[in-house]
Amino acid sequence: MIANLSTTQTPQTFSRDMYVRLKAADINAVRLTHLYSEVTGKAYGKQPAGITEWTGIHGQGLLSIAWDWIFLNDGLFSVPRDSVIRTNVMLVDGKGYDIDPTATDRACAAKIATLNWQNKLQQMLQKRELR
C-alpha cells in the first residue's frame, strides 16, 4: 500500500545524514547564538582572519552555521568574497524534498546578514578573547 503524501506534510527535521531540514521561511525564525570564534591566520599581511560558528534550535534539531571572516584595515569585519558557509542546514520544499544546495547557502547568507556577528567579534577582539 502506498501512503498518501500531502503537500502540507511537516518535513522531517533530523536525519541520519545529520542535516537539519527546514523550510526556507523557518530559517528566519530560528534564533542563532554565538558558539565559537577564533583567529586562524592573517589576512592582508597582518590583519587577523578566522572563523565563527553560531547555533540555534529548530524542532529537535541543533543548527550550526559557520563562516570565515577577515578583519579589515578600516576596523570592520567582513566575510571574504569566496568564503564557503559550513552548515548542517538543508532547506526542503513544501513536500519535504531537499532543494538546491545553492538556495540553502543563499538562505544561510541572508540569515548571517541579520546577525550582530561583527559586533560580537569586535567585543571579543577588544577583550583579547580573539587572538
Side-chain angles (χ1 to χ4, degrees), residues 87-105:
T87 185
N88 66 338
V89 170
M90 178 64 70
L91 293 186
V92 295
D93 63 17
K95 294 182 180 180
Y97 294 108
D98 294 353
I99 61 174
D100 183 348
T102 303
T104 298
D105 287 347

Side-chain angles (χ1 to χ4, degrees), residues 112-124:
I112 290 167
T114 69
L115 300 174
N116 198 13
W117 69 272
Q118 295 98 334
N119 287 343
K120 178 64 176 175
L121 294 183
Q122 187 68 28
Q123 291 169 5
M124 292 179 73

Side-chain angles (χ1 to χ4, degrees), residues 2 12 26-27 37 56 73-74 102 107 114:
I2 298 175
Q12 180 177 337
D26 293 336
I27 196 168
S37 293
N73 289 330
D74 61 4
T102 303
T114 69

